[in-house]
Amino acid sequence: MASSHSSSPVPQGSSSDVFFKKEVDPTKHIRPVQSLPDVCPKEPTGDSNSLCVAPSLVTDQHRWTIYHSKVNLPAALNDPRLAKRESDFFTKTWGLDFVDTEVIPSFYLPQISKEHFTIYQQEISQREKIHERCKNICPSKDAFDRTLLHTHDKSRTDLEQVPKIFMKPDFALDDSLTFNSVLPWSHFNTAGGKGNRDAASSKLLQEKLSHYLDIVEVNIAHQISLRSEAFFHAMTSQHELQDYLKKTSQAVKMLRDKIAQIDKVMCEGSLHVLRLALTRNNCVKVYNKLKLMATVHQTQPTVQVLLSTSEFVGALDLIATTQEVLQQELQGIHSFRYVHNDLNRPLEDDCQILEEERLVSLVFGLLKQRKLNFLEIYSKEMIITAKNIIKQCVINKVSQIEEIDTEAVVKLADQMRMLNFPQWFDLLKEIFSKFTVFLQRIKATLNIIHSVVLSVLDKNQRTRELEEISQQKNTAKDNSLDTEVAYLIHEGMFISDAFSESELTPIAIDTASQRNASPNSEPCSSDSVSEPECTTDSSSSKEQTSSSVTPGGVDIMVNEDMKLTDLELGKLANNIQELLYSASDICHDRAVKFLMSRAKDGFLEKLNSTEFITLSRLMETFILDTEQICGRKSMSLLGALQSQANKFVNRFHEERKTKLSLLLDNERWKQADVPAEFQDLVDSISDGKIALPEKKSGATEERKPAEVLIVEGQQYAVVGTVLLLIRIILEYCQCVDNIPSVTTDMLTRLSDLLKYFNSRSCQLVLGAGALQVVGLKTITTKNLALSSRCLQLIVHYIPVIRAHFEARLQPKQYSMLRHFDHITKDYHDHIAEISAKLVAIMDGLFDKLLSKYEVKAPVPSACFRNICKQMAKMHEAIFDLLPEEQTQMLFLRINASYKLHLKKQLSHLNVINDGGPQNGLVTADVAFYTGNLQALKGLKDLDLNMAEIWEQKR
């Protein structure tokens, strides 16, 4: 196939050309010169590789492809393979053997002459003249294209002067590279005597940037001018659309008003007659059914009368006839047993509402008949159902226990009391679960009834509002519309004839004036009905219908007057809510009776802490669930729980107080080893939080008991009773966490327990009661020091216990925390008494020994030797028990007592500090005493101040 490569090539466009071509007005788009493609291009065959080989007009637009080749038409029509030239274009492929023959004209085709086009030429002659006139006025398309091309070329040339960096989409002067490229610092360097040249360079740079700005602004203005016509056209179209929407809205409003009037005049009466006829037929059917039901209802007394008169055959016939009627005529009729069937169906059923549509119909019927006492019937059914739920749960549970002989134990309550705690707890959990589902069903049913009542109330209010609105309407407008509708009906005109131009023209004028007066107002459209003329009055019909949807999704249509006042409906709605509260109270009351029937034999009082806490949590969960369902907390079960909790607290306290008393009565007041579990116990009390640690089976057995208890870095030598007392205290605190309702009672009981330990330990140690109770030979200083250290450990934990209870008390109950202040004071007084007792022991020893002291050789004297020996024993007994600071303070007090007695004896012996022989002997004895005392562990730096033993010279 011949191809001509000598034809003028297509101008290659730069990237800027593409930019300008996209900005050209689409109404005046310039179609660029395109070359014809090859007559036999390679067509795709479905292979993806072949598709990729073909050149692309988009990606290959800047390089020569096969689409740039030029082929003329004669070269395409001349086939060098043919021996002769074809006669025409259509016969070039018909082969060499084709012979031209004349085609005989068809008899069915008419002969067309120029006269056939005369009418057409006459019709378009006027249009042709207008076209020629416009052609002379308007420039030709080629001239316009050349002008536009010239303009584009000039704009493109101007824009090419602007550096490409300004055209980048990510152009930003905050980028340091971009900023240095646009404003090079070399133009602002004034060092080296080049200030004038740099100033000129900076001015040149400023002018260059201003020139670039002018070019861009001119091109932007040019592009806007090219689209100015489109902008004005859009604004004009918007105004026209607003006017059209105004006219349409007015027309729709008028049409709806007229349709409403036509419906009122022509349709309403006929439809009302049809509805009345249908209602009458239904009433007749219902009446016949009621008569038949009344007849069946009288069957029982009639049968009794026949039997009393020995008419057995007649009685049997009547019974058979009645059964036949029940099976045929009255099949499926259950009267008003909906409530019984709904409440007594299996609770395992997931459906909360049984036949919701039927329930709505029943409620409407009851409201229409003004039978407003149906809520009382529903309440009685709730009580019966709640009893049956508990009874059925007990029967099911007892039947599963093989150990219970139902034949020997006849009463169901006695059978229930034979259950152990796990079995009875599972039974109670099942009852609570059934009650929860029961209350959910009642709430769903009452919500439906409440929705129906509110729908009727809403309908009454809407009816009154519409009546008030209808009374305020203009009577003249109604009369004119009635007259117009009657005219249209009798004259046979169409509704569309009413919308003449004479009616719509004033509306359009008024609309335009309103738009000009308020340019910021939005037009009325199908999505905006805020203006009065956009609204329609669809309430002109005499019959009003109010609709709503139940929580179950059933539509409620109220189209009849129930003849109930708003007061009655409001009272009924309140009674529905109260009935829901009553349902919760019923379930709680039945649960309390079930609980009390099990507690008759003291079963609940015998529960241990774990069991009672589990029971308490179950009951609290049920109380919260019912409160969430019904919206109000019932107090009966809560009161029963509180009563049982009080009994539990009393038993809990008495058990632990008795245990503590037994421990104290058997305590020998010797230092006990501390097992690892008790060390873990005190370690768990951190950051003021008290909690019993989890038992560690393996790790605790491997750890050996420690000699002392370490609490926050301090060592406490304690007796075994105190270790158990700490665990008991934690049990009190844990019980408060598990049963918050007993917080105040537990605080009082714990205070009593701490006071009891303080007073009883004082009786046993300071009062020497342990001599008779345990059989100790004597109360040693070690016993006293150990008792003091135990008291100090309890005092250490009292602030932690106080904070624990304070966080769980109400603000008005904070006054109860004063018990801990009193306990702390009592414990400190007890500790001080023990310290005083230790000093008194040594004081008596000093009085006994120093009263026999004589100032004579040898030195040291036997008296001072004996005193130092007793001081060493005292130190040995208490140093490992008390902290070093307390030991020093105690020995300072003992030393003060020693100095007092020594001074008294020296005064009695008339020994003075005169430097004589007696003074030397006393000084030597005192030095021996001082050296021995300071040699004891922890007393090295003790300031004894022995100069006080001498009386001051007068």
Side-chain angles (χ1 to χ4, degrees):
M1 182 179 294
S3 63
S4 176
H5 296 282
S6 61
S7 59
S8 61
V10 178
Q12 299 295 326
S14 63
S15 60
S16 61
D17 295 337
V18 178
F19 175 78
F20 283 113
K21 287 178 182 179
K22 292 182 179 179
E23 296 296 329
V24 175
D25 188 357
T27 59
K28 300 179 180 181
H29 179 67
I30 300 174
R31 183 173 300 172
V33 180
Q34 298 180 356
S35 61
L36 292 174
D38 193 358
V39 294
C40 296
K42 182 179 180 180
E43 298 179 355
T45 60
D47 188 4
S48 60
N49 296 328
S50 62
L51 292 175
C52 298
V53 173
S56 173
L57 290 175
V58 178
T59 60
D60 300 332
Q61 57 181 336
H62 301 306
R63 64 185 181 86
W64 190 92
T65 63
I66 60 175
Y67 295 117
H68 288 81
S69 62
K70 305 299 184 296
V71 179
N72 54 14
L73 187 58
L77 296 179
N78 290 333
D79 191 351
R81 296 174 297 179
L82 298 180
K84 63 177 182 178
R85 183 187 181 91
E86 294 84 352
S87 58
D88 54 22
F89 175 76
F90 300 102
T91 62
K92 74 183 187 70
T93 61
W94 290 0
L96 299 176
D97 299 333
F98 174 72
V99 179
D100 293 339
T101 57
E102 295 183 358
V103 179
I104 301 174
S106 176
F107 298 102
Y108 300 101
L109 297 177
Q111 294 294 329
I112 304 301
S113 61
K114 292 183 178 181
E115 285 76 8
H116 289 84
F117 297 95
T118 304
I119 299 175
Y120 173 72
Q121 290 177 351
Q122 292 176 357
E123 291 178 354
I124 67 172
S125 60
Q126 186 64 25
R127 297 181 182 179
E128 185 178 5
K129 292 178 181 179
I130 297 174
H131 175 69
E132 292 296 335
R133 190 184 307 116
C134 293
K135 186 192 299 185
N136 296 330
I137 297 174
C138 299
S140 62
K141 183 178 181 297
D142 296 337
F144 179 76
D145 291 346
R146 287 194 297 272
T147 304
L148 195 56
L149 280 174
H150 175 71
T151 305
H152 284 181
D153 292 340
K154 184 177 182 303
S155 300
R156 182 175 58 193
T157 304
D158 294 339
L159 284 177
E160 287 178 351
Q161 299 178 15
V162 181
K164 300 300 183 183
I165 190 173
F166 292 103
M167 302 300 179
K168 290 183 178 181
D170 56 348
F171 176 80
L173 285 176
D174 54 359
D175 186 7
S176 59
L177 297 177
T178 303
F179 185 83
N180 293 332
S181 300
V182 175
L183 298 173
W185 288 104
S186 60
H187 292 276
F188 303 100
N189 187 10
T190 58
K194 298 180 182 180
N196 296 331
R197 186 175 63 183
D198 291 339
S201 178
S202 300
K203 184 176 182 181
L204 179 61
L205 178 61
Q206 182 178 3
E207 292 177 355
K208 186 184 294 185
L209 294 177
S210 300
H211 177 62
Y212 295 158
L213 179 61
D214 295 339
I215 292 174
V216 173
E217 289 180 348
V218 168
N219 279 272
I220 292 176
H222 176 67
Q223 295 296 330
I224 293 175
S225 65
L226 292 178
R227 288 158 177 77
S228 60
E229 184 177 352
F231 292 154
F232 289 119
H233 178 70
M235 293 299 297
T236 305
S237 301
Q238 180 71 13
H239 292 317
E240 292 177 356
L241 180 61
Q242 293 179 5
D243 296 340
Y244 180 74
L245 290 176
K246 288 285 187 179
K247 296 177 184 179
T248 304
S249 175
Q250 293 292 335
V252 170
K253 181 177 182 301
M254 294 177 62
L255 181 60
R256 286 184 176 179
D257 290 340
K258 294 181 184 298
I259 290 175
Q261 293 297 326
I262 292 174
D263 178 70
K264 180 179 180 181
V265 174
M266 300 184 63
C267 303
E268 182 180 346
S270 302
L271 292 175
H272 187 59
V273 170
L274 293 176
R275 281 195 294 268
L276 289 177
L278 182 61
T279 303
R280 183 180 182 279
N281 294 332
N282 292 334
C283 291
V284 171
K285 293 180 181 179
V286 173
Y287 176 70
N288 293 332
K289 287 289 183 181
L290 292 176
K291 286 177 59 178
L292 191 58
M293 291 172 62
T295 303
V296 172
H297 189 266
Q298 295 297 325
T299 301
Q300 179 66 20
T302 305
V303 170
Q304 295 296 332
V305 172
L306 292 176
L307 291 177
S308 63
T309 57
S310 301
E311 294 288 340
F312 301 109
V313 177
L316 292 174
D317 291 340
L318 181 58
I319 293 173
T321 303
T322 304
Q323 291 178 350
E324 183 179 357
V325 170
L326 289 174
Q327 294 176 358
Q328 296 180 2
E329 300 294 335
L330 299 180
Q331 184 178 6
I333 296 178
H334 301 287
S335 186
F336 296 108
R337 299 300 296 169
Y338 175 88
V339 173
H340 178 77
N341 296 336
D342 181 48
L343 294 179
N344 289 276
R345 59 194 172 96
L347 294 174
E348 293 78 9
D349 189 5
D350 294 335
C351 181
Q352 292 188 354
I353 302 176
L354 181 65
E355 299 179 358
E356 183 176 348
E357 296 84 356
R358 183 183 177 191
L359 174 61
V360 173
S361 302
L362 285 174
V363 175
F364 269 120
L366 293 171
L367 293 178
K368 189 174 182 180
Q369 297 295 326
R370 300 181 64 84
K371 302 294 184 181
L372 304 182
N373 62 340
F374 63 91
L375 294 180
E376 300 176 1
I377 301 175
Y378 195 87
S379 177
K380 295 179 181 178
E381 287 291 338
M382 288 193 305
I383 297 175
I384 297 173
T385 305
K387 293 180 180 179
N388 293 334
I389 288 175
I390 294 181
K391 183 178 180 180
Q392 190 61 40
C393 289
V394 173
I395 292 174
N396 294 338
K397 188 64 178 179
V398 170
S399 63
Q400 298 174 2
I401 308 301
E402 297 179 355
E403 293 79 4
I404 299 178
D405 188 2
T406 56
E407 295 181 357
V409 183
V410 181
K411 292 184 178 181
L412 191 61
D414 296 336
Q415 296 175 2
M416 182 264 297
R417 294 189 186 97
M418 297 178 66
L419 299 175
N420 55 29
F421 178 77
Q423 296 170 348
W424 181 81
F425 183 78
D426 293 338
L427 174 60
L428 182 62
K429 185 188 295 184
E430 180 68 17
I431 291 174
F432 284 165
S433 176
K434 298 288 186 182
F435 275 159
T436 302
V437 178
F438 175 64
L439 290 176
Q440 289 174 349
R441 287 186 177 179
I442 292 176
K443 181 179 180 180
T445 303
L446 293 180
N447 284 341
I448 298 298
I449 299 175
H450 193 263
S451 300
V452 174
V453 173
L454 292 183
S455 300
V456 176
L457 181 61
D458 181 67
K459 192 263 178 183
N460 290 348
Q461 295 176 353
R462 289 176 179 269
T463 302
R464 287 197 304 272
E465 293 176 358
L466 292 175
E467 289 177 354
E468 294 176 358
I469 293 174
S470 62
Q471 292 176 0
Q472 297 175 359
K473 284 185 177 180
N474 192 347
T475 308
K477 180 178 178 181
D478 294 340
N479 295 335
S480 63
L481 288 175
D482 292 340
T483 305
E484 184 176 3
V485 172
Y487 171 76
L488 293 174
I489 294 171
H490 287 86
E491 294 297 328
M493 296 178 64
F494 294 102
I495 298 298
S496 59
D497 295 338
F499 303 104
S500 60
E501 295 183 359
S502 60
E503 294 178 354
L504 295 180
T505 301
I507 298 175
I509 295 173
D510 181 59
T511 304
S513 62
Q514 290 180 2
R515 187 181 68 242
N516 296 331
S518 57
N520 295 329
S521 61
E522 297 181 357
C524 180
S525 61
S526 59
D527 296 333
S528 176
V529 292
S530 60
E531 298 185 8
E533 51 266 23
C534 295
T535 59
T536 58
D537 186 9
S538 60
S539 61
S540 58
S541 176
K542 182 177 180 179
E543 180 183 354
Q544 300 296 330
T545 301
S546 176
S547 65
S548 61
V549 180
T550 65
V554 178
D555 293 334
I556 302 176
M557 304 297 294
V558 185
N559 54 8
E560 295 182 1
D561 188 6
M562 293 296 176
K563 297 181 180 179
L564 293 172
T565 63
D566 291 351
L567 182 60
E568 292 175 333
L569 293 173
K571 184 179 180 180
L572 185 60
N574 294 333
N575 290 340
I576 293 173
Q577 186 63 40
E578 291 296 330
L579 185 60
L580 182 60
Y581 298 154
S582 176
S584 176
D585 294 338
I586 290 172
C587 293
H588 281 245
D589 292 341
R590 302 312 305 178
V592 169
K593 291 184 178 180
F594 175 78
L595 199 67
M596 292 298 102
S597 63
R598 187 65 183 92
K600 284 185 177 180
D601 55 352
F603 173 76
L604 298 180
E605 287 77 6
K606 299 176 183 178
L607 298 179
N608 56 38
S609 301
T610 304
E611 292 174 343
F612 186 83
I613 289 171
T614 306
L615 175 62
S616 175
R617 288 179 176 177
L618 177 63
M619 296 173 66
E620 289 175 353
T621 303
F622 176 69
I623 292 172
L624 293 177
D625 291 341
T626 55
E627 181 182 4
Q628 185 177 5
I629 295 173
C630 302
R632 191 181 71 178
K633 180 182 292 186
S634 297
M635 303 306 296
S636 56
L637 185 60
L638 185 62
L641 175 61
Q642 187 64 40
S643 175
Q644 293 298 324
N646 293 335
K647 295 180 181 178
F648 168 77
V649 168
N650 291 332
R651 182 179 57 81
F652 180 89
H653 176 65
E654 292 299 329
E655 288 179 355
R656 279 146 186 81
K657 189 174 182 180
T658 303
K659 182 179 180 180
L660 180 62
S661 177
L662 293 175
L663 290 172
L664 288 172
D665 291 343
N666 292 277
E667 182 59 61
R668 302 189 65 85
W669 298 99
K670 292 184 179 181
Q671 183 178 356
D673 294 335
V674 179
E677 60 175 331
F678 287 97
Q679 184 63 54
D680 296 336
L681 194 68
V682 298
D683 291 341
S684 65
I685 308 174
S686 60
D687 300 330
K689 297 180 181 179
I690 299 180
L692 289 173
E694 297 180 357
K695 294 183 179 180
K696 301 178 182 179
S697 57
T700 305
E701 293 176 359
E702 297 177 358
R703 297 165 56 187
K704 296 181 179 180
E707 293 183 357
V708 293
L709 185 69
I710 300 176
V711 180
E712 297 181 2
Q714 293 188 10
Q715 295 182 354
Y716 287 87
V718 294
V719 297
T721 302
V722 173
L723 294 176
L724 295 175
L725 176 60
I726 293 176
R727 185 175 185 86
I728 291 173
I729 292 173
L730 292 185
E731 290 177 353
Y732 275 80
C733 298
Q734 190 70 35
C735 187
V736 170
D737 291 337
N738 296 328
I739 313 175
S741 60
V742 300
T743 302
T744 55
D745 292 337
M746 278 295 179
L747 190 150
T748 305
R749 301 302 194 280
L750 181 57
S751 301
D752 179 68
L753 187 74
L754 294 175
K755 291 178 180 179
Y756 175 77
F757 173 77
N758 184 42
S759 61
R760 185 60 177 160
S761 61
C762 181
Q763 294 173 4
L764 293 173
V765 180
L766 279 178
L771 299 179
Q772 292 80 22
V773 175
V774 185
L776 296 179
K777 294 181 180 180
T778 182
I779 303 298
T780 63
T781 56
K782 194 168 187 177
N783 298 140
L784 292 171
L786 194 59
S787 175
S788 175
R789 197 57 175 158
C790 292
L791 294 173
Q792 293 174 24
L793 178 62
I794 302 301
V795 170
H796 173 80
Y797 281 116
I798 287 179
V800 181
I801 300 170
R802 176 194 175 101
H804 181 81
F805 277 89
E806 184 177 2
R808 288 151 182 81
L809 288 174
Q810 299 294 332
K812 60 182 180 182
Q813 299 172 339
Y814 285 166
S815 59
M816 299 185 65
L817 297 173
R818 68 181 185 276
H819 293 294
F820 293 110
D821 299 332
H822 298 160
I823 293 173
T824 303
K825 182 179 180 302
D826 293 342
Y827 272 69
H828 281 303
D829 293 342
H830 189 180
I831 294 171
E833 290 178 4
I834 293 176
S835 299
K837 183 65 175 178
L838 292 174
V839 174
I841 291 174
M842 297 304 296
D843 183 77
L845 181 64
F846 293 149
D847 183 50
K848 179 180 179 181
L849 295 177
L850 290 175
S851 63
K852 301 177 182 180
Y853 174 61
E854 296 179 359
V855 183
K856 63 182 181 178
V859 177
S861 64
C863 177
F864 274 80
R865 289 176 184 272
N866 197 3
I867 289 174
C868 291
K869 183 179 179 180
Q870 295 299 327
M871 294 286 281
K873 289 183 178 180
M874 168 69 75
H875 180 270
E876 182 182 0
I878 68 173
F879 182 77
D880 293 333
L881 302 179
L882 298 178
E884 185 175 343
E885 297 81 4
Q886 295 185 20
T887 303
Q888 292 178 355
M889 293 299 298
L890 181 62
F891 272 88
L892 283 176
R893 294 179 61 185
I894 293 174
N895 183 63
S897 175
Y898 160 77
K899 290 188 294 183
L900 181 64
H901 285 281
L902 181 58
K903 181 178 180 180
K904 180 180 178 182
Q905 183 65 19
L906 293 176
S907 176
H908 176 69
L909 297 175
N910 294 322
V911 178
I912 60 176
N913 189 11
D914 56 356
Q918 288 184 333
N919 179 261
L921 292 174
V922 173
T923 303
D925 286 339
V926 170
F928 174 76
Y929 165 81
T930 304
N932 279 273
L933 188 60
Q934 291 181 343
L936 298 176
K937 188 176 181 180
L939 304 180
K940 180 179 180 181
D941 299 329
L942 200 65
D943 185 11
L944 300 179
N945 194 12
M946 298 305 297
E948 295 180 355
I949 63 174
W950 305 105
E951 289 188 359
Q952 298 295 331
K953 295 181 179 181
R954 298 179 180 177

